[in-house]
Amino acid sequence: MAGEGDTKLFEKENSVMFFVFCSQTYIGSVVISINPYRPLPIYTPEKVEEYRNRNFYELSPHIFALSDEAYRSLRDQDKDQCILITGESGAGKTEASKLVMSYVAAVCGKGAEVNQVKEQLLQSNPVLEAFGNAKTVRNDNSSRFVSIFCKVLFVCLDLLEKSRVVKQPRGERNFHIFYQILSGASEDFLCKLKLERDFSRYNYLGLDSARVNGVDDAANFRTVRNAMQIVGFMDHETQSVFEVVAAVLKLGNIEFKPESRVNGLDESKIKDKNELKEICELTGIDQSVLERAFSFRTVEAKQEKVSTTLNVAQAQTKVRKKVMGVLDIYGFEIFEDNSFEQFIINYCNEKLQQIFIELTLKEEQEEYIREGIEWTHIEYFNNAIICDLIENNQTGILAMLDEECLRPGTVTDDTFLEKLNQVCATHQHFESRMSKCSRFLNDTTLPHSCFRIQHYAGKVMYQVEGFVDKNNDLLYRDLSQAMWKASHSLIKALFPEGNPAKINLKRPPTAGSQFKASVATLMKNLQTKNPNYIRCIKPNDKKAAHIFNDALVCHQIRYLGLLENVRVRRAGYAFRQAYEPCLERYKMLCKQTWPHWRGPARAGVEVLFNELEIPEEEFSFGRSKIFIRNPRTLFKLEDLRKQRLEDLATLIEKIYRGWKCRTRFLLMKKSQIVIAAWFRRYAQQKKYQKIKSSAIIVQSYIRGWKVKHLASIFSQMQKYFLEMKNKMPSLSPIDKNWPARPYLFLDSTHKELKRIFHLWRCKKYRDQFTDQQKLIYEEKLEAIFAEQQTLVFTSVVLCNFVSSQATSRIFLLTKNNVLLADQKSGNIKSEVPLGDVTKVSMSSQNDGFFAVHLKEGSGAASKGDFLFSSDHLIEMATKLYRTTLSQTKQKLNIEISDEFLVQFRQDKVCVKFIQGSQKNGNIPTCKRKNNRLLEVAVP
């Protein structure tokens, strides 16, 4: 059931031939799967990961692609899903369902609870197959039930092929579980179930096909028991199930004999009551109650109850009801002998085909019309007429069958056929030798006791024998009540209608009406789900690999409606999507739509497709969706999106790395500041220790040199220190004189001694001040600022970039003036009233330069404007603006420009800010180009 391939459509002489060269391909979103009848290595865990979370058309056709699409729609869009797997018996539907479930189990998440559900999902397969599958002439593991996988639930309909329990066609066998339990159960377990290992001991087990090549029933039994435990069966529940299975198996060994005639009727009696006794022990039913239920039935009319005997045929027929199992529905079947079971199953397949037609061919063409897409209608066969032939409430075959079963008088299969010949004679899909229509009167291929229906999959001839009995499928009330009285909890739960409190005098519904209602419920359920299709095709009738029967495959392709599906897809559009999700998925491919599009979604998609230069014939705009004609256009979009996502990932990675490096730098800078602060504190407290340590280091070096016979160097150092003693400068802190070092190797020591000596004499100088002198200095400082009132802001700035070399000044802002003081002596160098400040200019770059413009003609403006550089530019400008506004009631003009004029004495100089190099690190540099231009290079 695997493979990836392409589909080719050939047209020749008005006939269409469809060839599938590998075992899986697509028609739109429909997966076409051919059974290879051998394992293929394309369902590995690696394949699961390859198709996980990928676009449907992104990779080669595969069941995993459809499974992923359905699972993600369920998970992300909360849409209930159903995967419809259809095809003939032997086409590989069961294997396809296993692959779907295994894929969903592999990708549906992690966690203890999720893993438990996943394991239960996977292990439900062996249980369902054991109780619901059997060997047929076309399939060694044919599903005899319907299962719908939706939201990880199995909805199993009531048992359909009940006749298989009591009788199997030649070459087939009963349900797997009977053979598995006899082959795989231990002797002790079989003894508890009162069973023997020999198949021939049981009438319900056909011996001609009891063994299947390549099937190990014993190993499968162990798998089933383990699976039941994982699914959630308790030990006592598992025991109960197998007790019921054993009881069903032993029911086939009960034989009835006519005992006497009561009121002209044969009364049935059980020959060997030993089997009956063991059945009662297994099920907890009183033997006399069960025996009476097998032999009598109670007819209730008004207030009276009448017990009537059952003849041998009636007693034997009724043991088929309520056997453990699930509803069987397989693919469309055409056997040599087709009876009521094939009729019912093919009816269900007609309904599934109708669903496929309505949701693919019909719905797709109607969607084009709804969306305003130009479209020419493509004709296709609608099998609704066949469904109506079978299920019409007045003239349908099932209605005629129920009418025959319920009417009084003599009712036989022949009377049922006569009724069909009267009612359905003119129907174009009904054929019978005995109908009013004489067109089949001489058709020797159609026996008189048969009728033929022209199904969508071909003509099927049904033998009418047994239709009435199988449709009645009666379970008399006495037997239901006997089952309900059982002490066995599972048996009692299986027969709720046997509860005396729930007695219903109405005749139980027929098998046909039950199945029709079940199919209606199934169809209604499917209509509420989002459908996904896997159409399975059987390549040959021999169940052999490497054999491809063209005629057989083409026949299946025609009746499945795949040719019409191909024509609709080829004439239409391979992909369609609402504008909103389409724009959301591909918006990163266009600068105008990325990252946000503010207008309508359709307009955004139009802009996107125009930007990508997609040919107009490749797409059409509907009312609510964009339609793309060829998959290659979609593949192009996906490839572009993949490349763009890689580019975006690279961009995000680059930004993240930059952020990470900057964060690390800022953290290191902060750490460096903390370390430096602690180091300075440590240095202040340990000066003496450091001096002593330096002396010790010098002393150790001297001793080392002595040890190494460096007497000459020691002599030089000794001479050096003696000379230093005589050449020491004065104790004035402003004396910058210091003796030259005599030897190069003493360079670092010479500098360190200079630094230590300067610190020492500064301390000595400060220590000379008396308290009275300190008070005098404080009075001088107060006198300097007495006239300036409160100090608002102070900072160290650089100035005089134009007239001379930049000098360091203390910038003082008071409530009335701007002062510039010498950093060393503290003397005031300039004083500017706030009223004389007209404007502040600064660049838009991170350079720290700003100019303070003065009022022309003012006393402070005699030397021109000021050009400063400060690390606190923003704070200085803010303080200056607010203080000026407060004192003068006028807003100070702040000009931000990378080029402005500054007045220096009689000249106006242009200050221009340019992009510089990193030679000087992050420090801006000034360069006077001429008398009229000063360039500031900002890194």
Side-chain angles (χ1 to χ4, degrees):
M1 275 288 310
E4 297 93 2
D6 296 319
T7 302
K8 295 188 177 179
L9 189 68
F10 298 96
E11 299 190 17
K12 184 178 182 181
E13 297 179 358
N14 298 325
S15 65
V16 183
M17 298 298 294
F18 184 97
F19 294 90
V20 183
F21 293 108
C22 283
S23 55
Q24 284 178 6
T25 188
Y26 291 151
I27 302 178
S29 59
V30 178
V31 176
I32 311 300
S33 178
I34 293 188
N35 192 343
Y37 290 116
R38 66 187 180 95
L40 294 179
I42 60 169
Y43 295 106
T44 61
E46 291 75 19
K47 278 289 180 183
V48 171
E49 291 302 319
E50 182 179 350
Y51 280 84
R52 186 173 187 173
N53 292 327
R54 302 294 288 270
N55 188 274
F56 185 71
Y57 295 105
E58 190 173 347
L59 300 175
S60 300
H62 203 290
I63 286 180
F64 284 173
L66 180 134
S67 305
D68 186 75
E69 183 77 7
Y71 170 71
R72 288 192 290 116
S73 295
L74 175 68
R75 181 195 64 190
D76 301 337
Q77 303 176 21
D78 198 26
K79 291 183 180 178
D80 288 351
Q81 304 291 313
C82 62
I83 297 178
L84 300 182
I85 306 175
T86 58
E88 289 190 6
S89 180
K93 300 183 297 301
T94 300
E95 292 303 315
S97 65
K98 289 181 183 178
L99 293 171
V100 171
M101 293 165 61
S102 64
Y103 180 85
V104 174
V107 303
C108 66
K110 298 181 180 179
E113 184 175 351
V114 174
N115 289 337
Q116 181 182 0
V117 174
K118 286 163 53 175
E119 190 65 20
Q120 290 177 349
L121 176 63
L122 293 176
Q123 294 300 330
S124 62
N125 260 329
V127 179
L128 292 175
E129 289 184 5
F131 289 95
N133 287 25
K135 179 189 182 301
T136 65
V137 293
R138 295 189 176 184
N139 190 350
D140 291 343
N141 189 33
S142 178
S143 298
R144 319 310 290 170
F145 65 97
V146 167
S147 66
I148 305 167
F149 171 61
C150 180
K151 276 198 174 178
V152 202
L153 291 176
F154 282 96
V155 180
C156 300
L157 306 183
D158 196 9
L159 181 64
L160 168 65
E161 201 186 20
K162 304 169 187 175
S163 61
R164 180 170 294 276
V165 176
V166 297
K167 184 179 179 181
Q168 305 87 43
R170 186 172 183 81
E172 299 187 4
R173 72 175 195 169
N174 214 320
F175 292 98
H176 294 329
I177 188 61
F178 296 119
Y179 305 92
Q180 292 174 356
I181 196 172
L182 295 182
S183 301
S186 64
E187 294 294 340
D188 180 61
F189 192 63
L190 287 177
C191 183
K192 291 181 180 178
L193 298 179
K194 306 183 186 304
L195 295 176
E196 299 179 23
R197 202 174 296 278
D198 185 6
F199 291 172
S200 63
R201 283 278 294 110
Y202 303 99
N203 297 331
Y204 281 173
L205 303 183
L207 299 181
D208 58 329
S209 300
R211 304 290 181 184
V212 181
N213 293 334
V215 175
D216 188 343
D217 287 319
N220 289 343
F221 176 73
R222 292 189 291 272
T223 301
V224 169
R225 291 203 66 174
N226 180 61
M228 291 178 73
Q229 183 179 7
I230 294 175
V231 169
F233 283 83
M234 305 298 291
D235 290 342
H236 70 278
E237 293 173 334
T238 303
Q239 180 70 22
S240 297
V241 170
F242 289 125
E243 286 172 352
V244 173
V245 173
V248 171
L249 196 56
K250 294 177 76 64
L251 278 173
N253 293 345
I254 295 181
E255 296 183 10
F256 297 87
K257 62 180 179 178
E259 184 71 15
S260 61
R261 298 184 63 84
V262 178
N263 297 328
L265 297 175
D266 288 337
E267 179 182 348
S268 64
K269 293 292 184 180
I270 297 176
K271 288 183 180 180
D272 184 5
K273 296 187 178 181
N274 184 57
E275 291 283 2
L276 181 63
K277 177 184 177 183
E278 292 182 348
I279 291 173
C280 291
E281 291 175 355
L282 286 170
T283 58
I285 303 174
D286 184 87
Q287 183 173 342
S288 62
V289 173
L290 185 58
E291 183 176 1
R292 179 175 179 80
F294 280 150
S295 304
F296 295 86
R297 69 185 175 98
T298 300
V299 179
E300 190 168 325
K302 295 185 178 180
Q303 303 299 323
E304 297 182 358
K305 294 183 180 179
V306 180
S307 294
T308 61
T309 59
L310 295 176
N311 58 32
V312 173
Q314 291 172 326
Q316 290 175 334
T317 302
K318 303 312 161 190
V319 297
R320 296 187 288 112
K321 187 64 176 175
K322 291 294 182 183
V323 178
M324 276 294 298
V326 288
L327 174 68
D328 166 75
I329 190 66
Y330 22 70
F332 195 90
E333 292 189 349
I334 307 176
F335 295 146
E336 184 176 346
D337 296 324
N338 301 289
S339 186
F340 179 73
E341 292 81 10
Q342 281 68 44
F343 173 75
I344 289 294
I345 293 158
N346 290 344
Y347 159 60
C348 185
N349 276 272
E350 288 283 359
K351 296 296 289 183
L352 291 175
Q353 176 69 3
Q354 189 178 25
I355 284 277
F356 176 76
I357 290 172
E358 290 181 354
L359 297 182
T360 55
L361 304 178
K362 182 180 177 182
E363 171 64 25
E364 181 162 353
Q365 297 195 79
E366 290 178 351
E367 182 181 32
Y368 293 142
I369 297 173
R370 285 196 309 270
E371 290 289 329
I373 302 297
E374 185 178 349
W375 179 254
T376 302
H377 183 74
I378 294 178
E379 296 295 332
Y380 58 89
F381 173 67
N382 192 335
N383 70 329
I385 188 173
I386 303 176
C387 295
D388 185 71
L389 170 65
I390 299 173
E391 67 182 6
N392 187 283
N393 291 330
Q394 281 75 38
T395 61
I397 294 176
L398 286 175
M400 296 301 101
L401 181 58
D402 284 352
E403 185 176 318
E404 280 296 296
C405 292
L406 298 177
R407 74 174 177 83
T410 303
V411 177
T412 64
D413 295 321
D414 292 334
T415 62
F416 164 61
L417 183 57
E418 290 175 6
K419 197 171 191 67
L420 292 184
N421 291 334
Q422 294 175 5
V423 177
C424 305
T426 59
H427 199 287
Q428 59 181 330
H429 290 274
F430 179 84
E431 302 173 4
S432 173
R433 287 280 293 276
M434 303 301 293
S435 67
K436 293 180 180 180
C437 183
S438 61
R439 55 187 171 144
F440 302 107
L441 186 61
N442 298 321
D443 188 350
T444 57
T445 64
L446 184 58
H448 289 80
S449 61
C450 299
F451 66 92
R452 190 159 52 205
I453 295 179
Q454 186 175 342
H455 287 283
Y456 78 94
K459 293 184 177 181
V460 181
M461 184 175 65
Y462 298 101
Q463 295 178 350
V464 75
E465 181 183 357
F467 262 64
V468 173
D469 283 343
K470 293 175 180 178
N471 187 52
N472 274 323
D473 194 25
L474 296 178
L475 182 70
Y476 293 122
R477 188 178 301 114
D478 302 74
L479 193 55
S480 295
Q481 292 177 352
M483 296 294 107
W484 190 82
K485 292 177 181 178
S487 60
H488 194 285
S489 59
L490 181 56
I491 290 288
K492 190 169 185 175
L494 289 173
F495 293 85
E497 67 272 23
N499 187 346
K502 299 181 179 179
I503 292 178
N504 189 346
L505 298 181
K506 292 182 62 177
R507 181 186 177 97
T510 63
S513 61
Q514 291 182 59
F515 187 78
K516 179 182 174 182
S518 297
V519 170
T521 302
L522 172 62
M523 297 302 112
K524 183 178 180 181
N525 192 11
L526 294 180
Q527 292 283 3
T528 63
K529 308 295 185 293
N530 184 56
N532 305 270
Y533 295 97
I534 300 176
R535 307 289 262 178
C536 298
I537 295 177
K538 180 171 58 177
N540 60 74
D541 284 325
K542 299 180 180 179
K543 297 185 285 188
H546 307 295
I547 298 178
F548 192 92
N549 188 324
D550 290 356
L552 177 63
V553 172
C554 288
H555 172 69
Q556 295 173 79
I557 287 170
R558 285 192 183 95
Y559 76 67
L560 287 173
L562 300 183
L563 290 177
E564 291 85 354
N565 199 0
V566 170
R567 291 191 186 102
V568 171
R569 279 291 175 173
R570 293 188 67 180
Y573 298 84
F575 178 79
R576 72 287 316 271
Q577 192 174 30
Y579 291 119
E580 289 78 6
C582 180
L583 181 62
E584 184 66 25
R585 184 169 183 83
Y586 301 113
K587 64 182 181 180
M588 71 284 295
L589 303 180
C590 175
K591 292 182 179 179
Q592 300 180 56
T593 57
W594 177 259
H596 300 293
W597 174 257
R598 303 299 181 186
R602 171 170 176 166
V605 175
E606 291 178 357
V607 170
L608 174 65
F609 276 50
N610 290 334
E611 177 76 15
L612 297 177
E613 298 182 351
I614 298 177
E616 293 184 0
E617 63 272 12
E618 284 296 312
F619 62 90
S620 292
F621 292 105
R623 291 187 175 92
S624 62
K625 297 179 181 179
I626 177 71
F627 291 79
I628 297 176
R629 186 173 299 278
N630 291 310
R632 63 173 175 266
T633 303
L634 183 64
F635 298 156
K636 176 185 176 182
L637 290 173
E638 287 296 323
D639 291 341
L640 292 174
R641 180 177 182 271
K642 182 179 179 181
Q643 182 60 47
R644 180 58 176 158
L645 289 177
E646 292 177 357
D647 295 341
L648 291 174
T650 303
L651 178 62
I652 293 171
E653 183 182 18
K654 181 178 71 173
I655 295 174
Y656 170 75
R657 286 182 175 179
W659 170 84
K660 186 177 180 181
C661 290
R662 176 167 175 78
T663 302
R664 184 172 180 271
F665 165 76
L666 293 176
L667 182 62
M668 293 178 65
K669 182 178 179 181
K670 182 179 179 181
S671 301
Q672 183 269 335
I673 293 173
V674 173
I675 294 172
W678 279 95
F679 178 77
R680 291 191 187 99
R681 181 180 178 184
Y682 172 81
Q684 290 286 339
Q685 296 175 351
K686 301 293 182 179
K687 282 184 179 180
Y688 173 75
Q689 287 82 350
K690 183 180 289 187
I691 296 174
K692 182 178 180 181
S693 176
S694 298
I696 293 173
I697 291 173
V698 173
Q699 188 180 38
S700 63
Y701 270 105
I702 294 174
R703 290 176 178 174
W705 282 99
K706 284 183 177 180
V707 172
K708 295 181 180 180
H709 307 289
L710 297 177
S712 59
I713 295 177
F714 174 75
S715 176
Q716 292 172 354
M717 291 183 64
Q718 188 176 28
K719 181 179 179 182
Y720 165 72
F721 284 112
L722 290 174
E723 290 178 352
M724 286 291 295
K725 178 181 179 182
N726 299 324
K727 296 180 180 180
M728 294 296 286
S730 67
L731 296 180
S732 173
I734 62 174
D735 186 354
K736 296 183 179 180
N737 294 322
W738 184 253
R741 59 169 171 76
Y743 309 110
L744 182 61
F745 73 92
L746 292 174
D747 183 66
S748 58
T749 302
H750 192 70
K751 292 179 179 179
E752 181 65 16
L753 288 176
K754 178 180 178 181
R755 187 186 69 82
I756 294 172
F757 176 78
H758 180 69
L759 293 175
W760 173 78
R761 67 183 179 182
C762 287
K763 183 178 183 306
K764 296 291 288 183
Y765 182 78
R766 292 194 301 271
D767 291 343
Q768 294 176 2
F769 292 161
T770 63
D771 293 340
Q772 184 177 3
Q773 290 175 320
K774 291 179 181 179
L775 182 60
I776 293 173
Y777 280 111
E778 290 176 359
E779 291 176 351
K780 286 184 178 182
L781 289 174
E782 290 177 0
I784 293 175
F785 301 109
E787 297 179 358
Q788 310 302 329
Q789 301 177 7
T790 305
L791 184 64
V792 177
F793 180 79
T794 180
S795 177
V796 177
V797 297
L798 294 177
C799 59
N800 294 335
F801 294 95
V802 179
S803 59
S804 62
Q805 184 178 1
T807 57
S808 177
R809 291 285 186 265
I810 299 177
F811 181 91
L812 301 167
L813 174 62
T814 67
K815 288 188 176 182
N816 299 311
N817 300 297
V818 173
L819 304 177
L820 294 178
D822 185 85
Q823 188 179 11
K824 294 182 179 180
S825 64
N827 295 330
I828 300 298
K829 298 295 184 180
S830 299
E831 181 177 353
V832 180
L834 290 179
D836 292 346
V837 178
T838 60
K839 182 173 65 173
V840 174
S841 298
M842 62 186 72
S843 74
S844 61
Q845 304 186 46
N846 187 20
D847 49 70
F849 280 82
F850 71 100
V852 177
H853 301 272
L854 304 181
K855 184 185 299 183
E856 293 186 6
S858 64
S862 59
K863 295 182 180 180
D865 301 332
F866 292 101
L867 181 63
F868 299 119
S869 175
S870 173
D871 293 337
H872 306 286
L873 166 62
I874 301 301
E875 188 177 2
M876 291 175 65
T878 302
K879 294 288 188 181
L880 183 58
Y881 176 86
R882 290 181 176 178
T883 305
T884 303
L885 178 63
S886 175
Q887 294 300 317
T888 65
K889 306 303 180 183
Q890 295 180 357
K891 294 183 179 180
L892 181 63
N893 185 17
I894 304 294
E895 178 187 5
I896 299 177
S897 174
D898 288 343
E899 187 173 329
F900 51 80
L901 295 177
V902 178
Q903 182 74 37
F904 288 108
R905 298 187 185 277
Q906 303 302 321
D907 299 327
K908 286 188 178 292
V909 178
C910 177
V911 181
K912 185 176 182 180
F913 296 83
I914 61 173
Q915 193 70 31
S917 64
Q918 296 287 342
K919 293 182 179 180
N920 296 321
N922 294 325
I923 302 174
T925 57
C926 296
K927 186 175 182 181
R928 184 71 175 267
K929 305 297 289 186
N930 51 52
N931 292 336
R932 300 293 182 180
L933 178 62
L934 174 66
E935 285 187 351
V936 179
V938 183

